[in-house]
Amino acid sequence: MTGTATIPDLATLDELRELGQQLRVDSIRASTSAGSGHPTSSMSAADLLAVLTGRHLRYDWDRPAEPANDHLIFSKGHASPLLYSVYKAVGVVSDEELMTGYRRFGSRLEGHPTPVLPWVDVATGSLGQGLPYGVGVALAGRYLDKLPYRVWVLCGDSELAEGSIWEAFDKAAYYHLSNLIAMIDVNRLGQRGPTELSWDLAAYTRRMEGFGARVLQVDGHDVAAIDAAMADAGSLNGEQPVVILARTEKGRGFSEVQDKENWHGKPLPAEMADRAILELGGLRNLRVRGPVPAPSGRPDRPQPGNATVRMPSYEVGAKIATRKAYGDALAAIGARQNVVAMDGEVSNSTFAAEFAETHPARYFEMFIAEQQLVAAAVGMSVRGYVPFASTFAAFLTRAYDFIRMAAISMADISLVGSHAGVEIGADGPSQMGLEDLAMFRAVHGSTVLYPSDATSAAALVAAMADRPGVKYMRTTRGAYPVLYSASEQFPIGGCKVLKEAANDQVALIGAGITLHNCLAAAQLLSDEGITARVIDLYSIKPIDAATVAEAALDTGRLVLAEDHHPEGGLGEAVLSVLAERGLGGTAVAHLAVTEMPGSGTPAELLSSAGLSAADIAAAARTLISA
Amino acid sequence: MTGTATIPDLATLDELRELGQQLRVDSIRASTSAGSGHPTSSMSAADLLAVLTGRHLRYDWDRPAEPANDHLIFSKGHASPLLYSVYKAVGVVSDEELMTGYRRFGSRLEGHPTPVLPWVDVATGSLGQGLPYGVGVALAGRYLDKLPYRVWVLCGDSELAEGSIWEAFDKAAYYHLSNLIAMIDVNRLGQRGPTELSWDLAAYTRRMEGFGARVLQVDGHDVAAIDAAMADAGSLNGEQPVVILARTEKGRGFSEVQDKENWHGKPLPAEMADRAILELGGLRNLRVRGPVPAPSGRPDRPQPGNATVRMPSYEVGAKIATRKAYGDALAAIGARQNVVAMDGEVSNSTFAAEFAETHPARYFEMFIAEQQLVAAAVGMSVRGYVPFASTFAAFLTRAYDFIRMAAISMADISLVGSHAGVEIGADGPSQMGLEDLAMFRAVHGSTVLYPSDATSAAALVAAMADRPGVKYMRTTRGAYPVLYSASEQFPIGGCKVLKEAANDQVALIGAGITLHNCLAAAQLLSDEGITARVIDLYSIKPIDAATVAEAALDTGRLVLAEDHHPEGGLGEAVLSVLAERGLGGTAVAHLAVTEMPGSGTPAELLSSAGLSAADIAAAARTLISA
């Protein structure tokens, strides 16, 4: 891989010094005009961005989707005035938009960057996330795209306190991501005072070198030094991620705030802004464009190719765990060359190992680092890949902030959590996903799936691949009978009515393990002459409101059973349907895990939680006799 | 602080070698008898635990609540067979209980340790958490208790991939926690194969020393070397946390599995277990007790003292943000000497800064590390303190795994999330807590509070301090009118009916910002001759089901308004009440944030989300005209 950029007449160092001042002035103007924002956090990094934009970032501003483009991620998303001032300097955002749009309602220049802007890869603003996303993009660059683009990530010093930053360094070194360059703006001051390590660049260097990075210390206001460091960092030489560790001053360039406390996140009052602009040499309208990469000649997004996908099929009645079906189906859709997978060191439990075996070049072991696991998926989605990331459902809670932010990033990622609920048995509550449905339902635009058998699980894996947004599938540890033949369809937003009659007296609604217990309960009830409808609610969000409503209308009684805490899961999803449809008069029994479980067999724990077939049947009887 | 332990006749090194073998044998026996568990992960650390238990851990096994006791935390919670075998060796668990209880239903010897056992401080099993909890306990030891106990944490090598481990090292060094000793069992093998760094102890050392720890490398099967390292590590000398970095072998002592892959998390089959026990020298029943600390003479839990708490009071109608009231009230209850507080580098936004100013000795700045923030609170609760931890509501999502585990730990912690919802305005969606109610409601035994004014916010802070479990309060950025006089009571599980009449046609239920808009909507409706009840649902969980039910019965129509995504929050909490009470026939309009917000003013964003007073009034009209 060599540098293949078209080099126009690059800006001189003197011009870059001027550009740095312009970025400061515009950061001040934008935030003062908006009445909020972070000018001082922008000013510290202005010289870094001036040099990067003017001489090193290989980017075709007119074709942001060009696969050969470098990537620029603002991990310190609050420095959005700086980013948007860069956009002005390269001519993709007008001064008027900057001054009237920043942080305004309906504007694309939001308080923190989001991909409503075509040049923004990922939403940032929750600190410590940009670098892990950068790892994902850099993994794609080195191992999938095999293109010589670089991923430049601007980090603050405060956010180095986030563990996720160190998950990122660890994986960047493990995967030899010399295409990842972390530019650390060490301005010494956090929101409420000095950072832990202040300007102790030696301490930062020890940590980063300890984690396997190559560290270049620079004076972050010396454009010549920055230029040299960026030339070195961007060389793609070596096998290590690179850090440009820049000693900077917050509010640099305006003596009234420079390196002073109590100026975080505060726009300058108008009069003060005037003085600042004067001190910074006044308004400028420099236009600069840096190098442009040679076009890759590739489509914007990696293509699936034309290999035939041979989905697994299962014999009805055979006992197969849905987690096994996940692995089977993932390996199958891996015939599509744009599908990638990763796992948090439990691939032999989640069955992601099947993909790792069949498509090793597109499998990434992320070890026990769930934040980086999800961030890697987001980063690969930036480059148009179709990522699946898996671990235990319980441990996806570790990445909730990343999952929430993935929705803001408009990332298309599939997450799969195994070992859901008390059904797992002896391992105990730390390993039981009991909050995952609530967690994922509350994410904007999410899809939440919970198949009950191998056939539906496999079909839904394929459906997830083609659906936008944050998608979640919950799988079950134990092996239960296959319910459906391979010819059945499982549209997202649908459900399956497994048993129904005109005179149904009650409907039993479950998913996963509880669906099997609903079926057994229906049999118990049938033996007593009670006819029960049974609904497999494999799509929790979106939910098949019409079928649920029909069951409520037909029977007047619903038993909702879920191996999850009562809040925010299947049960409340159904209650919301009833409320929306004006069917709240339906009698409802909601069975869920209300006590803290311990260890035991799956049957013992399900029974103890009131989720056995007998419990479901009893709830139905109670509704009917009420 | 000096070592003040009573030293009985300590075990000799030969005896400790024997004890190590016994711990291996018992780990094998327990897991084989249970049919599941992690014997090989126990065997690698058996010599470490033998030496610790026999000669270094200062612990009165008959008085686990003694404040002077050392603490032992199994961060690698899956090595529970080893921990329980230690309990057998010191005589607090019988061999019979070990053999018939481990991982069985109803037993206290769960698959991963939980505090149902009196010697267990915190639940573990989600990796990477034990060390951050240890930081919390060690902070209490050094800065609050000022007792010379040590906190010994057994970590696995795989879990060093978790960023939370590095948050812990960072804070341990920052706070000079020489009373924290991480024992790293570097057995080279994770669940599915080798770890990232294998036995590269030099690489681990660079990382840990880079983070400020003092690292002692040992052969983890050389009891003399371990003994020397523990004597050094436990000296409380210096100002650095200590790491005992032990090179070990997984499955050590049984040649068929020792240092072999594919033996993670698998009990030995019975016949193989017999061979292992033979190779390990057979069954033993050594009884060992190590040193006992001199009694502290203190009560088990730190006492509040008798200083008068002077709660803040607010004038009705004055505009005060609930986050400000949080700071005021927290500073006030800080008169109780057992109240401690910490924040994630946003104390000037959450107003935890008020506590930091008035009670600096009991305030801990955790910088931007939300996992460690919550873990520190859990650790301090272990020592009986009453911790409050705060950051933005959005960023508590970063710690969801720790919050979920805190419930399993039966920790009593108060968490406070500011800047809830779209109400925050210009900063945009990354900073908006829009999933927090769902996230916290789904936690077992949790309390979820969402006050609308300063008076209720302050009162609820005091109530949180006295309530067990995981408690969450959501606060609002903006300043809104005080609604209640200081004499009002706000019991957890209650609500406030702010406006009611016998002929109410609809009830408007909100909390936080939406309650203010409900009040304004009621005025709009009143102007049209429509009488609306208004309910301040400040306690989302537990919920005042009786008052909600009464409103449903009286009016037949509810408008539920929440500045949160529609799933899992206030709205679904009310729907669950209606379903439980058989009041589902109530007509319900549920207003929540259904589209991705951007930047804007609070009023613009609330209106855009359909949560303005006009929107609430319109929803009421629609219900009435239906």
Side-chain angles (χ1 to χ4, degrees):
Chain A
M1 298 195 295
T2 55
T4 54
T6 303
I7 312 283
D9 289 338
L10 292 182
T12 65
L13 294 182
D14 280 341
E15 287 167 341
L16 295 180
R17 277 183 205 101
E18 279 298 295
L19 178 60
Q21 297 296 75
Q22 171 173 316
L23 297 177
R24 290 185 172 92
V25 167
D26 288 343
S27 295
I28 290 168
R29 293 170 64 231
S31 49
T32 292
S33 76
S36 70
H38 297 74
T40 59
S41 302
S42 298
M43 292 159 80
S44 57
D47 297 314
L48 288 169
L49 266 290
V51 179
L52 180 70
T53 309
R55 295 178 70 102
H56 298 281
L57 186 74
R58 296 182 195 140
Y59 198 88
D60 187 343
W61 291 98
D62 302 316
R63 256 188 53 66
E66 164 57 48
N69 279 345
D70 277 0
H71 292 261
L72 171 59
I73 295 173
F74 262 47
S75 196
K76 53 176 291 185
H78 55 287
S80 55
L82 175 61
L83 182 62
Y84 302 155
S85 296
V86 167
Y87 292 163
K88 172 190 152 181
V90 299
V92 296
V93 162
S94 70
D95 191 72
E96 185 190 354
E97 181 176 5
L98 184 66
M99 293 299 291
T100 61
Y102 183 51
R103 289 177 164 253
R104 309 308 202 283
F105 182 71
S107 164
R108 59 183 187 169
L109 302 185
E110 296 186 13
H112 295 76
T114 77
V116 297
L117 290 162
W119 318 284
V120 173
D121 284 335
V122 286
T124 51
S126 181
L127 290 169
Q129 298 204 0
L131 194 63
Y133 296 137
V135 167
V137 179
L139 281 169
R142 183 177 172 109
Y143 294 99
L144 301 169
D145 292 331
K146 295 175 181 165
L147 285 170
Y149 59 74
R150 290 85 48 90
V151 183
W152 305 83
V153 182
L154 178 68
C155 298
D157 46 355
S158 284
E159 66 177 319
L160 301 178
E162 288 281 15
S164 54
I165 289 286
W166 302 96
E167 294 184 14
F169 276 123
D170 179 45
K171 288 304 164 301
Y174 181 80
Y175 282 109
H176 308 294
L177 300 180
S178 57
N179 54 346
L180 179 71
I181 302 141
M183 305 174 290
I184 317 282
D185 176 22
V186 186
N187 66 22
R188 187 186 76 80
L189 293 174
Q191 169 171 328
R192 41 132 294 289
T195 60
E196 287 173 271
L197 291 174
S198 186
W199 274 323
D200 189 349
L201 267 60
Y204 284 124
T205 299
R206 280 193 298 276
R207 293 183 180 194
M208 291 163 179
E209 289 184 346
F211 270 74
R214 184 162 72 91
V215 180
L216 308 173
Q217 290 190 26
V218 298
D219 173 346
H221 303 306
D222 177 340
V223 296
I226 296 168
D227 185 53
M230 287 184 175
D232 182 358
S235 65
L236 298 177
N237 288 335
E239 295 284 310
Q240 294 174 278
V242 189
V243 174
I244 297 175
L245 189 64
R247 185 190 195 279
T248 63
E249 290 180 319
K250 201 158 178 170
R252 168 80 174 198
F254 179 40
S255 50
E256 294 180 39
V257 302
Q258 182 171 308
D259 192 34
K260 289 202 168 47
E261 293 194 36
N262 300 317
W263 279 103
H264 180 93
K266 293 178 185 168
L268 304 185
E271 197 187 341
M272 203 169 169
D274 290 342
R275 292 197 300 276
I277 294 166
L278 196 65
E279 186 174 334
L280 288 161
L283 278 177
R284 295 165 182 81
N285 278 296
L286 299 174
R287 176 70 69 86
V288 65
R289 288 232 172 160
V292 173
S296 62
R298 300 189 193 173
D300 293 351
R301 300 169 66 90
Q303 298 300 299
N306 49 20
T308 306
V309 172
R310 297 185 195 285
M311 292 300 288
S313 70
Y314 304 99
E315 197 170 337
V316 172
K319 288 189 173 177
I320 313 277
T322 52
R323 60 182 172 131
K324 174 71 166 68
Y326 167 64
D328 296 346
L330 182 65
I333 66 167
R336 293 163 54 169
Q337 299 296 309
N338 54 355
V339 171
V340 296
M342 57 216 76
D343 189 273
E345 225 271 308
V346 289
S347 60
N348 51 343
S349 291
T350 60
F351 283 92
E354 295 193 33
F355 184 97
E357 283 155 25
T358 48
H359 310 288
R362 282 182 274 123
Y363 175 79
F364 298 89
E365 179 53 66
M366 302 312 289
F367 298 92
I368 308 181
E370 294 81 7
Q371 296 183 92
Q372 180 59 70
L373 172 70
V374 172
V378 171
M380 291 185 191
S381 81
V382 165
R383 277 295 306 125
Y385 290 93
V386 178
F388 283 78
S390 50
T391 182
F392 283 27
F395 304 144
L396 283 171
T397 56
R398 198 64 155 261
Y400 195 25
D401 198 18
F402 284 78
I403 295 165
R404 162 186 92 81
M405 290 293 296
I408 306 176
S409 289
M410 299 183 274
D412 301 324
I413 59 171
S414 294
L415 304 176
V416 177
S418 67
H419 293 70
V422 303
E423 190 276 343
I424 68 163
D427 273 326
S430 65
Q431 319 292 301
M432 295 171 176
L434 288 166
E435 304 84 3
D436 54 321
L437 295 177
M439 171 173 98
F440 276 102
R441 280 186 69 234
V443 169
H444 178 73
S446 64
T447 299
V448 181
L449 306 171
Y450 185 13
S452 301
D453 90 329
T455 301
S456 54
L460 291 167
V461 169
M464 287 168 89
D466 295 326
R467 187 173 173 88
V470 174
K471 299 143 285 184
Y472 174 60
M473 176 183 286
R474 182 183 223 224
T475 66
T476 301
R477 180 179 181 277
Y480 297 92
V482 172
L483 301 171
Y484 305 105
S485 68
S487 61
E488 293 269 355
Q489 301 294 306
F490 298 90
I492 289 173
C495 69
K496 285 286 176 192
V497 181
L498 276 158
K499 184 175 171 305
E500 86 181 302
N503 60 342
D504 285 335
Q505 295 163 272
V506 61
L508 315 179
I509 302 182
I513 176 62
T514 60
L515 187 271
H516 291 273
N517 289 356
C518 286
L519 284 168
Q523 186 59 52
L524 293 174
L525 294 168
S526 172
D527 295 346
E528 302 164 24
I530 298 173
T531 60
R533 186 169 303 184
V534 178
I535 296 177
D536 173 0
L537 201 68
Y538 63 80
S539 183
I540 308 285
K541 180 185 175 188
I543 190 169
D544 186 345
T547 304
V548 167
E550 187 182 345
L553 273 172
D554 287 356
T555 69
R557 303 178 190 94
L558 303 182
V559 179
L560 314 176
E562 58 184 322
D563 191 359
H564 184 273
H565 288 153
E567 299 87 0
L570 178 152
E572 291 192 348
V574 169
L575 295 182
S576 277
V577 168
L578 299 180
E580 282 161 24
R581 299 259 169 162
L583 291 166
T586 312
V588 173
H590 182 192
L591 311 184
V593 180
T594 56
E595 301 298 320
M596 179 61 71
S599 292
T601 65
E604 286 167 341
L605 292 171
L606 286 162
S607 181
S608 174
L611 292 169
S612 69
D615 296 312
I616 294 167
R621 275 184 222 107
T622 301
L623 287 182
I624 289 166
S625 64
Chain B
M1 300 195 294
T2 55
T4 54
T6 304
I7 312 281
D9 289 339
L10 293 182
T12 65
L13 294 182
D14 279 342
E15 287 166 340
L16 296 180
R17 278 184 204 99
E18 280 297 295
L19 178 60
Q21 297 296 75
Q22 171 173 316
L23 297 176
R24 291 186 171 91
V25 167
D26 287 344
S27 295
I28 290 167
R29 293 170 64 231
S31 49
T32 292
S33 76
S36 70
H38 298 74
T40 58
S41 302
S42 297
M43 293 159 80
S44 57
D47 297 314
L48 288 168
L49 266 290
V51 179
L52 180 70
T53 309
R55 295 178 70 103
H56 297 282
L57 186 74
R58 296 182 194 142
Y59 198 89
D60 187 342
W61 291 98
D62 302 317
R63 256 188 54 65
E66 165 56 48
N69 278 346
D70 278 359
H71 292 262
L72 171 60
I73 296 172
F74 262 46
S75 196
K76 53 176 291 184
H78 55 287
S80 55
L82 175 60
L83 182 62
Y84 303 155
S85 296
V86 166
Y87 292 163
K88 172 190 152 182
V90 300
V92 295
V93 161
S94 70
D95 191 73
E96 185 191 353
E97 181 176 4
L98 184 65
M99 293 299 291
T100 62
Y102 183 51
R103 288 178 164 252
R104 309 309 201 282
F105 182 71
S107 163
R108 60 183 186 168
L109 302 184
E110 296 186 13
H112 294 76
T114 77
V116 297
L117 290 162
W119 318 284
V120 173
D121 285 335
V122 286
T124 50
S126 181
L127 290 169
Q129 299 205 0
L131 194 62
Y133 296 137
V135 167
V137 179
L139 281 169
R142 182 176 172 111
Y143 295 98
L144 301 169
D145 292 331
K146 295 176 180 164
L147 284 170
Y149 59 74
R150 289 86 48 90
V151 183
W152 306 83
V153 182
L154 178 68
C155 298
D157 46 356
S158 284
E159 65 177 320
L160 300 178
E162 288 283 14
S164 54
I165 289 286
W166 302 97
E167 295 184 14
F169 276 123
D170 179 47
K171 289 303 165 301
Y174 181 81
Y175 282 108
H176 307 295
L177 299 180
S178 57
N179 54 345
L180 179 71
I181 302 141
M183 305 175 290
I184 318 284
D185 176 21
V186 187
N187 67 22
R188 188 187 74 82
L189 293 174
Q191 169 171 328
R192 41 131 296 288
T195 60
E196 286 173 272
L197 291 175
S198 186
W199 274 322
D200 189 349
L201 268 60
Y204 284 124
T205 300
R206 280 194 297 275
R207 294 182 179 194
M208 291 163 179
E209 289 183 347
F211 271 74
R214 184 162 72 91
V215 180
L216 309 173
Q217 290 190 26
V218 297
D219 173 345
H221 303 304
D222 177 340
V223 295
I226 296 168
D227 185 53
M230 287 183 176
D232 181 358
S235 65
L236 298 176
N237 288 335
E239 295 284 311
Q240 294 173 279
V242 189
V243 174
I244 297 176
L245 190 64
R247 185 189 195 279
T248 62
E249 290 180 318
K250 201 157 177 171
R252 168 79 174 197
F254 178 39
S255 50
E256 295 181 37
V257 301
Q258 182 172 309
D259 192 34
K260 290 203 168 46
E261 293 194 37
N262 300 316
W263 278 102
H264 180 94
K266 293 178 185 169
L268 305 184
E271 196 188 340
M272 203 169 169
D274 290 343
R275 292 197 299 276
I277 294 166
L278 196 66
E279 186 174 333
L280 288 161
L283 278 177
R284 296 166 182 81
N285 277 295
L286 298 174
R287 176 70 69 86
V288 64
R289 289 234 172 159
V292 173
S296 63
R298 300 188 193 173
D300 292 351
R301 300 169 67 90
Q303 298 299 299
N306 49 20
T308 306
V309 172
R310 297 184 194 285
M311 292 300 288
S313 71
Y314 304 99
E315 198 169 336
V316 172
K319 288 189 173 178
I320 313 277
T322 51
R323 60 183 173 130
K324 174 71 166 67
Y326 167 65
D328 297 345
L330 182 65
I333 66 167
R336 292 163 54 169
Q337 298 295 311
N338 54 355
V339 171
V340 296
M342 57 217 74
D343 189 272
E345 226 271 309
V346 289
S347 59
N348 50 343
S349 291
T350 60
F351 283 92
E354 295 193 32
F355 184 97
E357 283 155 25
T358 48
H359 310 287
R362 281 181 275 123
Y363 175 79
F364 298 89
E365 179 54 65
M366 302 312 289
F367 297 93
I368 308 181
E370 294 81 7
Q371 297 183 91
Q372 180 58 70
L373 171 71
V374 172
V378 171
M380 291 186 191
S381 82
V382 165
R383 277 295 306 124
Y385 290 93
V386 178
F388 284 76
S390 50
T391 183
F392 283 27
F395 304 144
L396 283 171
T397 55
R398 198 66 155 259
Y400 195 26
D401 198 18
F402 284 78
I403 295 165
R404 163 186 92 81
M405 289 294 296
I408 306 176
S409 288
M410 298 184 274
D412 301 323
I413 59 172
S414 294
L415 304 176
V416 177
S418 66
H419 293 70
V422 303
E423 190 276 344
I424 68 163
D427 273 326
S430 64
Q431 320 292 301
M432 295 170 176
L434 288 166
E435 304 84 3
D436 54 321
L437 296 177
M439 172 173 97
F440 276 102
R441 280 186 70 235
V443 169
H444 178 73
S446 64
T447 298
V448 181
L449 306 171
Y450 186 13
S452 301
D453 89 329
T455 302
S456 54
L460 290 167
V461 170
M464 288 168 89
D466 295 325
R467 187 173 174 87
V470 174
K471 298 144 285 184
Y472 174 60
M473 176 183 286
R474 180 184 224 224
T475 66
T476 301
R477 180 177 182 277
Y480 297 92
V482 173
L483 302 171
Y484 306 105
S485 68
S487 61
E488 293 270 354
Q489 301 294 306
F490 298 89
I492 289 172
C495 69
K496 285 285 176 192
V497 182
L498 276 158
K499 183 174 172 304
E500 87 182 301
N503 61 342
D504 285 334
Q505 296 164 270
V506 61
L508 315 179
I509 302 182
I513 176 62
T514 60
L515 187 269
H516 291 273
N517 289 355
C518 286
L519 284 169
Q523 186 59 52
L524 293 175
L525 294 168
S526 171
D527 295 346
E528 303 164 22
I530 298 173
T531 60
R533 186 169 302 183
V534 179
I535 296 177
D536 174 359
L537 201 67
Y538 63 80
S539 183
I540 308 285
K541 180 185 174 188
I543 189 169
D544 186 344
T547 303
V548 168
E550 187 181 344
L553 273 171
D554 287 356
T555 69
R557 302 177 190 95
L558 303 183
V559 178
L560 314 176
E562 59 183 321
D563 191 359
H564 184 274
H565 288 153
E567 300 87 0
L570 177 151
E572 291 192 349
V574 169
L575 295 183
S576 277
V577 168
L578 299 181
E580 282 160 24
R581 300 256 168 163
L583 291 166
T586 312
V588 173
H590 181 192
L591 310 184
V593 180
T594 56
E595 301 298 320
M596 179 61 72
S599 292
T601 66
E604 285 168 339
L605 293 171
L606 285 162
S607 181
S608 173
L611 292 169
S612 69
D615 296 312
I616 294 167
R621 275 184 222 107
T622 302
L623 287 182
I624 289 167
S625 63

